[in-house]
Amino acid sequence: MEALLILLGLLVLAVPFIAIIALIRTISLAEQLRRLEPRLAAIERAATPVMRDAPTTASPPPPPPPRTMIAEPTQDAAPPAPEPPPRTAVPAPHPAPVAAAPMSLEQRLGTQWAVWVGGFALALGGIFLVRYSIEQGLLGPRVRVTLGALLAIALIAAGEWTRRTQRLARNAGLPNANIPSILIAAGTTVAYADIYAAHALYQFLAPGAAFLLLGIVALATLAAALLHGPALAGLGLLGAYVTPLLVASQRPDYWSLYIYLAVVTAAAFVLARLRLWRWLAIAALACSLVWTLPGVGVVRVEALPAHVFHVLTGFSLAAAFIVAGLMLGPDEEIARVDPVSSAALAAYLLAITCLVLASRHDPVALSALAALIATTVAIAWRSEAAAAAVPAAAFLLVLVILSWAVDLDLGHLVASSGPVAGAVPEPEKTGYGWHLVLGAGFALLFGATGYRAQGRSRQAIVSMLWSASAVFAPIGILSGLYYRIAGLAVSIPFAGLALLLAALFVVATEALSRRAPRPGLAASAALFATGAVAALALALTMALERGWLTVGLALTVPGVAWVSQLRPLPALRVLVAVLGVLVVGRIAWEPRIVGDDIGTTPIFNWLFYGYGIPAAAFWLGAWLLRRRGDDVPARMIDAGAILLTVLFGFLEIRHFINNGDLYRKGTGLAELALQVSLGLAMTIGLERLRRRTSSKVHDIGALIIAALTLAAVVLGLGIAENPLVTGEPVGGRFVNFVLLGYALPAGLAAALALIARRARPQQYSAVAAIAAVALAVGYLSLEVRTLFHGEVLTRGPMSSAEQYAYSVVWLAFGVVLLLTGVHLRSQALRFASAAVVILSVLKVFLVDMQGLTGIYQALSFIGLGIVLLGIGWLYQRLLFPQAVAVTVGT
């Protein structure tokens, strides 16, 4: 019975192959008919005139044209062209390729989509057939596995047979889908599924045997891609790297896994090299790196060498087959840095860096990193295609040094895996010796090779990559070692090393400046000069207190800006902007710069050094950058200069008023008065500065500070900190907080109104003038209140003399404003005078008429009348004398 079922199963399996053979024959016959139809049509068109014009006898038909690999024309042939005269032997140019006509929907359906869907249907058909046999209980497990293997073999054989016949591989004029590769892809898919079922479902195969068979299928698929094209290569690559996931084990053998992956990666790289398939090289590289993740999660001492072996093997294979111009790699293109060559090396450097961080700087992983970095430098020296891997190596090395310095544990960021996760203790960190040797050696390596590489290449970018690495690596390494060993404390030995580094960069800059012009030489000299400035700032940081780190970074801003004047390289201007962002970020992290050690001395405390010096450095740097253009970096440094100056002034005021406590809650009248005055003074300064620079940053900065100051005047001085509201003592009778908080801002606001009168819209000057008048009226009123009530203005009732004094003072102030407006010919001041006078009139008629009694009431009205008459006389005599003369004459 079982034999009968096997026979029945074989007959069922034969149906797809019979359908495939029928399909092949049908398409073959259709192809032959398609080729015959144009020839028959051409013969009929050529024979039609002869049959119409011939008298009675018929001439024999012309012989058919000979068959060639070029498609025959479908129209009447043109008369032959006259034979050209003989010419001398000159190589004939290649004929221009004829552009293929766009494919119609019918052509795509018949030549591409039908083939793709057919291959997919074949694979699904095999899977459904197996599932049906399982559901019906027709076939046992062994028979199912056997029939699956036979189906895979049959599909692969059919694909190879169709390739050899060369009948279905391509059709003339149409970019058809490759039927042989589709058939083989379907066969390999069935083979993967069959082997996996034999292992995972039925346990017919041990893990090692299943692993071996799946690997053979994957490698065979990659090998077949040499004949059948990239689609099959992609399928084989995917299957090869997914195979280890299909065969799981409770006790993973990393050495066997990585040896298998080394074979697969080598096969993929070789195939990519032979066919020059960049996509295949990139895909294999990505898959190989993904298999590094288990090494990051499992960093046991006994497993780490296997993980390191995987990275070293992949790096070696990439250097041998992927890097252009090196060993067995493709030919190197002149004047071009190959991104694939550089990325291949940088990717494996990233992988080994992850292992170093995950293993907490185990000597095995650290030694491997050192070897790969040194090899990368040597490869880039030999092949310029891999030059972009040099700065990547420098960055990763500095990252390792810095992670060791800050004691970063990557294991906290990556979930560990395996049955012993967390049970096995982590390896101990290495001591200072390894990292000191590593840092010193690679600082010398990058610095020396970066300098020696100048002038070797015809590509400017190559010289710049080497010089950037030569500058960045030593500074980054020295910074990391200083942080770990000295803890940002004062260290004269490290400061001496930084000074030595700065001197070496200066020597390199001068030496490169004297050389004959070469591509990238000027830019590299600029980078070395920038490194000299940065190293000098680092030396200051190491030699002084920890707060000087902010000062040192800020001093690099004008330094690099000055270098950008000597070497106009756009990257240097961007570097200035980056340094500016670092300084501002450092201050935002800790506004007190040095924590609680600011000091209590007014002005000359750590705020002066931490904000004042950086602000001055930013102003100088912005000025240097603006000399060559008002671009984004210049505007960023300008904005930083304004911000630091504002912070410096406001924090110094707060420090002075609150005895060094910057975080004290609340703001008193004295502090707010000083801050308002500072805001107005800075607005005046920016208004004058923007006239000379025409900078948008200065323009916008002046507007922002003016708006914030106006809000502080209205909400702060007018309401929140008004001594009439708070009852806060104001001090003496004349020299007091009222003078500081209202008279001084009034004078500054008046100066702002005068400065902005011709430089800003009229509304801006009018708002400043109104603020000045309001502050002046506020000062006069509060000063009168102080004279009658003492330092606490809310104490005691208002007397008639005090109420009369307000009227006198307001009217006098109105007259002063009018005289000033007449002298300056300012209509705004005259309007302000009118407003104050009107306020006085309203006060006299609405308040004094009811509130005053006796002599004060009479004096109030008499004084008001005299003032109003005087104002009328001034207008008639000084402002409009001609109008008066005409009136009298009539």
Side-chain angles (χ1 to χ4, degrees):
M1 183 62 182
E2 186 175 356
L4 181 59
L5 292 177
I6 294 175
L7 181 60
L8 178 60
L10 292 176
L11 291 176
V12 173
L13 287 177
V15 173
F17 295 102
I18 296 174
I20 293 173
I21 296 173
L23 175 64
I24 292 172
R25 297 301 302 167
T26 302
I27 296 178
S28 178
L29 291 174
E31 175 66 14
Q32 293 179 8
L33 289 176
R34 190 190 66 80
R35 292 186 178 183
L36 287 176
E37 286 178 355
R39 297 178 59 193
L40 292 175
I43 293 173
E44 290 177 357
R45 283 193 297 270
T48 300
V50 176
M51 295 176 64
R52 182 177 63 248
D53 297 336
T56 54
T57 61
S59 60
R67 297 183 61 182
T68 64
M69 295 183 65
I70 303 176
E72 293 84 353
T74 58
Q75 299 180 354
D76 296 339
E83 185 175 351
R87 301 178 62 182
T88 57
V90 177
H94 295 287
V98 180
M103 296 181 64
S104 65
L105 178 62
E106 181 182 5
Q107 290 172 334
R108 291 187 181 276
L109 286 173
T111 61
Q112 293 183 347
W113 296 352
V115 176
W116 296 335
V117 174
F120 183 66
L122 283 176
L124 286 181
I127 296 174
F128 293 156
L129 183 62
V130 174
R131 188 182 69 177
Y132 174 78
S133 66
I134 295 174
E135 292 175 350
Q136 299 297 322
L138 300 178
L139 304 175
R142 295 185 182 277
V143 177
R144 298 168 195 163
V145 172
T146 303
L147 292 179
L150 293 176
L151 177 60
I153 294 173
L155 288 172
I156 294 173
E160 180 62 20
W161 178 76
T162 54
R163 184 192 68 82
R164 289 178 180 274
T165 58
Q166 293 294 321
R167 294 181 178 179
L168 300 179
R170 61 178 59 88
N171 295 328
L174 296 178
N176 299 332
N178 196 302
I179 294 177
S181 64
I182 296 296
L183 291 174
I184 292 182
T188 54
T189 302
V190 174
Y192 278 120
D194 189 63
I195 297 174
Y196 176 73
H199 163 69
L201 300 180
Y202 307 123
Q203 289 78 41
F204 293 154
L205 296 175
F211 184 83
L212 179 62
L213 290 176
L214 288 172
I216 291 174
V217 172
L219 295 178
T221 307
L222 285 174
L226 287 171
L227 301 175
H228 292 274
L232 196 59
L235 179 64
L237 179 71
L238 179 63
Y241 282 104
V242 171
T243 292
L245 296 177
L246 299 179
V247 183
S249 175
Q250 295 297 326
R251 300 182 62 184
D253 184 359
Y254 288 106
W255 280 106
S256 300
L257 170 66
Y258 290 140
I259 291 174
Y260 164 79
L261 291 176
V263 175
V264 172
T265 303
F269 283 173
V270 170
L271 179 59
R273 169 63 184 92
L274 293 176
R275 286 301 186 91
L276 296 180
W277 289 339
R278 297 170 68 90
W279 68 267
L280 182 60
I282 296 173
L285 180 66
C287 293
S288 177
L289 291 176
V290 167
W291 275 107
T292 310
L293 296 179
V296 178
V298 182
V299 290
R300 300 190 305 271
V301 175
E302 65 273 12
L304 184 60
H307 305 319
V308 172
F309 166 79
H310 170 60
V311 177
L312 293 177
T313 304
F315 182 91
S316 303
L317 292 173
F321 298 105
I322 303 301
V323 177
L326 183 73
M327 299 176 67
L328 302 176
D331 296 334
E332 182 179 8
E333 297 184 20
I334 300 177
R336 183 174 182 270
V337 176
D338 182 38
V340 176
S341 300
S342 300
L345 300 181
Y348 284 107
L349 287 174
L350 176 62
I352 194 63
T353 300
C354 291
L355 289 179
V356 171
L357 299 180
S359 64
R360 304 204 64 187
H361 297 232
D362 186 270
V364 175
L366 203 59
S367 301
L369 174 65
L372 291 190
I373 290 178
T375 307
T376 300
V377 173
I379 291 173
W381 188 273
R382 172 65 178 80
S383 173
E384 293 183 357
V390 176
F395 173 78
L396 293 174
L397 176 64
V398 172
L399 178 63
V400 168
I401 297 293
L402 292 178
S403 70
W404 170 71
V406 300
D407 196 16
L408 176 65
D409 185 5
L410 189 64
H412 296 163
L413 306 178
V414 180
S416 58
S417 61
V420 294
V424 179
E426 297 177 347
E428 294 293 332
K429 295 181 295 182
T430 56
Y432 291 166
W434 266 95
H435 292 81
L436 286 174
V437 173
L438 187 70
F442 278 107
L444 180 61
L445 175 66
F446 280 107
T449 55
Y451 173 76
R452 294 291 299 172
Q454 303 306 311
R456 294 181 70 248
S457 174
R458 288 180 291 175
Q459 307 179 62
I461 185 63
V462 173
S463 299
M464 294 170 61
L465 291 173
W466 280 105
S467 58
S469 304
V471 171
F472 171 75
I475 292 178
I477 292 171
L478 185 60
S479 301
L481 294 175
Y482 165 68
Y483 179 83
R484 179 57 185 267
I485 297 175
L488 295 183
V490 174
S491 176
I492 300 302
F494 275 104
L497 291 176
L499 285 176
L500 176 61
L501 191 60
L504 292 176
F505 285 154
V506 170
V507 172
T509 303
E510 292 300 318
L512 294 178
S513 301
R514 297 192 189 98
R515 291 187 183 181
R518 292 281 296 171
L521 202 61
S524 296
L527 289 173
F528 277 108
T530 303
V533 175
L536 180 60
L538 187 62
L540 293 175
T541 303
M542 295 172 175
L544 302 172
E545 295 294 335
R546 55 177 179 167
W548 289 103
L549 174 61
T550 305
V551 178
L553 288 175
L555 290 176
T556 60
V557 171
V560 179
W562 173 70
V563 174
S564 70
Q565 301 298 303
L566 303 178
R567 298 290 187 271
L569 185 66
L572 292 178
R573 301 177 71 87
V574 176
L575 178 59
V576 175
V578 172
L579 291 172
V581 172
L582 291 177
V583 173
V584 174
R586 166 65 180 86
I587 292 176
W589 178 264
E590 175 51 85
R592 297 173 299 176
I593 309 297
V594 290
D596 296 329
D597 300 332
I598 299 177
T600 58
T601 305
I603 308 299
F604 296 102
N605 46 59
W606 252 106
L607 294 175
F608 177 82
Y609 306 111
Y611 284 90
I613 294 178
F618 272 53
W619 283 113
L620 177 59
W623 176 73
L624 291 171
L625 291 178
R626 283 199 312 272
R627 294 178 64 183
R628 287 193 173 272
D630 188 18
D631 55 358
V632 174
R635 293 176 181 177
M636 291 178 63
I637 300 303
D638 261 327
I642 295 174
L643 176 62
L644 291 176
T645 304
V646 170
L647 292 176
F648 171 60
F650 278 60
L651 290 176
E652 280 285 13
I653 291 172
R654 188 161 183 79
H655 178 275
F656 172 73
I657 296 297
N658 298 304
N659 295 322
D661 186 5
L662 297 181
Y663 294 104
R664 182 177 179 180
K665 295 182 179 180
T667 301
L669 175 61
E671 181 179 350
L672 182 62
L674 291 174
Q675 290 175 350
V676 167
S677 299
L678 176 63
L680 290 170
M682 286 200 62
T683 304
I684 293 172
L686 288 175
E687 286 291 340
R688 298 181 64 87
L689 181 61
R690 77 179 187 89
R691 294 184 184 181
R692 297 197 303 267
T693 63
S694 299
S695 172
K696 292 183 179 179
V697 175
H698 297 159
D699 185 12
I700 298 174
L703 292 175
I704 292 176
I705 296 176
L708 294 176
T709 305
L710 178 62
V713 168
V714 175
L715 301 177
L717 296 178
I719 301 175
E721 299 299 332
N722 192 325
L724 283 176
V725 177
T726 62
E728 178 183 353
V730 297
R733 291 189 174 273
F734 292 101
V735 180
N736 49 35
F737 291 151
V738 174
L739 176 69
L740 181 66
Y742 294 88
L744 180 59
L748 293 172
L752 176 61
L754 291 175
I755 291 175
R757 185 171 53 175
R758 296 184 180 88
R760 290 285 189 184
Q762 185 176 2
Q763 295 84 352
Y764 184 95
S765 179
V767 171
I770 292 172
V773 172
L775 287 168
V777 171
Y779 165 70
L780 293 173
S781 303
L782 292 174
E783 183 61 31
V784 169
R785 185 78 176 175
T786 303
L787 293 175
F788 281 92
H789 293 267
E791 63 177 1
V792 180
L793 305 185
T794 57
R795 183 184 302 166
M798 181 185 298
S799 65
S800 296
E802 178 185 351
Q803 188 172 347
Y804 174 72
Y806 291 129
S807 301
V808 173
V809 170
W810 289 1
L811 282 174
F813 180 60
V815 173
V816 171
L817 285 178
L818 177 60
L819 293 176
T820 306
V822 172
H823 175 71
L824 297 177
R825 298 179 181 179
S826 172
Q827 189 181 40
L829 284 178
R830 297 198 300 270
F831 284 161
S833 170
V836 175
V837 171
I838 292 173
L839 177 65
S840 302
V841 171
L842 293 175
K843 193 256 182 188
V844 169
F845 280 93
L846 298 179
V847 178
D848 293 355
M849 183 178 292
Q850 297 179 356
L852 295 179
T853 58
I855 189 62
Y856 290 111
Q857 187 178 43
L859 291 177
S860 176
F861 280 88
I862 292 172
L864 177 62
I866 294 174
V867 170
L868 292 178
L869 289 175
I871 290 173
W873 182 84
L874 284 175
Y875 270 88
Q876 292 176 8
R877 291 292 181 180
L878 299 179
L879 293 176
F880 306 106
Q882 295 180 356
V884 173
V886 173
T887 304
V888 173
T890 59

